[in-house]
Amino acid sequence: MLKSMTGFGRCELADAEGKITVEIKAVNHRYCEISFRMPKKLSFFEAGIRNVLKKYISRGKVDVFINYEDYTEGKACVRYNAELAGEYFEKLKQISGEFGLSCNVDVSTLARFPEVLVLEEQSADEGALWQRLESTVRGAAERFVETRCAEGERLKQDLSGKLDGMLAAVGFIEERAPQIVAEYRKRLTEKVNELLSDTKVDESVLATEITVFADRICVDEETVRLRAHIENMKETLSAGENIGRKLDFIAQEMNREANTILSKSGDLSITNRAIDLKTEIEKVREQIQNIE
């Protein structure tokens, strides 16, 4: 499916761990250029995110905005050091036996000894965080591709209409070109007869002059190539994805043929059609710049 390089996609994931929001925006660009704006906490995952996006995007200047609200930030847990508590208790019993004291240690007393109970901040599970982040990035990328495809379909319809109009202009030139030679022959014959009066006109001289003129204004090769380029572009539009560069090359060749037709033209009607062709080709080239 034809894709535009302009698009937007957004996805949000919220659960007990936090909320992740991913937005993707893109405009046309010669290559694939991806830039990120996201919290430093997520910068570790940039390479992974880039690899995910490259499966969805091949061309365009892409801006990725990621926002992360960590609901677990600041939460802490208590760690119990059972081995250390046991050592404390054994030492207390030893002291009790050596000095003949009663060992009346209760839980609260033992818990107050250093490092028996320690308050620690919960560390994030990077694997779980990446799964949530990857899922959100893929969701935004899929919506992003949907908008690109919708815009690409509109571009395809617009370009197809322009190409049909160009084929009609080429058809007019192909039909008009032979008429110009016939009209030139008639004018030339009338002019020679007017100037020479009763003198007989040498038909071979007239034929030579008409042949030279016809060769000078002949645009048959150009119209054949131009028609072939237009048909090729129409076929390429229906071919599938990643055709932007090929379309741009075809448009350059179309413009070259139109320039040649314009330079050879000695007829006002063909000149006007050639100018119309160049105008439409330029519009097509502008549209093609937005195709992936």
Side-chain angles (χ1 to χ4, degrees), residues 38-292:
M38 58 184 174
K40 186 179 292 186
K41 187 172 185 177
L42 301 180
S43 59
F44 174 77
F45 302 111
E46 180 175 329
I49 298 171
R50 194 178 295 273
N51 289 334
V52 170
L53 292 177
K54 284 184 177 180
K55 296 177 182 179
Y56 296 88
I57 305 165
S58 59
R59 285 182 69 198
K61 187 179 185 304
V62 184
D63 292 315
V64 182
F65 304 90
I66 302 177
N67 185 51
Y68 178 45
E69 297 179 30
D70 187 1
Y71 297 161
T72 65
E73 191 173 10
K75 289 186 177 181
C77 63
V78 176
R79 181 177 59 82
Y80 166 53
N81 192 332
E83 184 179 351
L84 185 59
E87 290 185 15
Y88 279 130
F89 187 68
E90 290 299 324
K91 294 300 180 183
L92 290 172
K93 287 198 298 182
Q94 183 180 345
I95 294 172
S96 174
E98 289 179 356
F99 294 97
L101 301 173
S102 60
C103 184
N104 55 353
V105 180
D106 56 18
V107 174
S108 61
T109 302
L110 190 60
R112 284 196 291 267
F113 282 101
E115 304 298 325
V116 173
L117 297 178
V118 179
L119 191 65
E120 291 183 341
E121 185 175 345
Q122 287 182 328
S123 58
D125 185 342
E126 290 185 355
L129 178 56
W130 167 243
Q131 288 183 351
R132 294 162 59 226
L133 179 59
E134 181 186 19
S135 175
T136 311
V137 170
R138 288 187 182 277
E142 288 168 1
R143 289 166 177 77
F144 172 77
V145 170
E146 287 174 4
T147 62
R148 275 189 156 191
C149 290
E151 178 65 21
E153 187 61 29
R154 287 191 287 271
L155 284 173
K156 180 180 177 180
Q157 293 176 2
D158 181 67
L159 288 171
S160 295
K162 285 181 170 58
L163 292 173
D164 288 338
M166 291 163 64
L167 283 175
V170 172
F172 174 85
I173 294 171
E174 290 173 332
E175 183 179 349
R176 175 62 182 156
Q179 299 173 6
I180 298 173
V181 177
E183 292 171 1
Y184 177 74
R185 179 186 182 91
K186 181 179 179 181
R187 289 197 307 272
L188 182 62
T189 302
E190 291 174 352
K191 193 67 176 177
V192 169
N193 288 332
E194 180 183 340
L195 293 174
L196 299 181
S197 299
D198 298 332
T199 305
K200 186 177 180 180
V201 179
D202 189 340
E203 288 294 329
S204 63
V205 174
L206 279 177
T208 301
E209 174 62 26
I210 293 168
T211 301
V212 171
F213 173 78
D215 184 64
R216 188 171 67 248
I217 68 164
C218 180
V219 292
D220 290 352
E221 293 182 7
E222 287 76 13
T223 55
V224 168
R225 286 196 294 266
L226 182 53
R227 181 179 289 276
H229 291 323
I230 295 171
E231 294 291 354
N232 187 16
M233 182 172 284
K234 293 185 72 173
E235 292 173 4
T236 303
L237 283 172
S238 302
E241 303 178 357
N242 304 325
I243 58 173
R245 289 190 178 94
K246 181 178 180 180
L247 292 175
D248 189 45
F249 175 76
I250 296 173
Q252 292 178 38
E253 296 301 308
M254 290 165 58
N255 191 56
R256 184 176 290 112
E257 302 302 338
N259 280 333
T260 305
I261 292 172
L262 186 60
S263 65
K264 286 185 174 183
S265 173
D267 179 73
L268 182 60
S269 60
I270 289 183
T271 298
N272 290 336
R273 290 304 173 98
I275 292 173
D276 291 342
L277 277 171
K278 283 181 59 64
T279 302
E280 289 302 298
I281 290 170
E282 189 59 34
K283 292 178 181 178
V284 166
R285 292 187 68 180
E286 289 178 3
Q287 294 285 59
I288 286 171
Q289 301 307 311
N290 292 318
I291 295 177
E292 186 177 36

Side-chain angles (χ1 to χ4, degrees), residues 16-31:
E17 301 297 317
K19 183 169 73 172
I20 302 174
T21 305
V22 178
E23 290 186 356
I24 304 174
K25 300 178 182 179
V27 293
N28 61 310
H29 195 271
R30 187 174 182 182
Y31 305 107

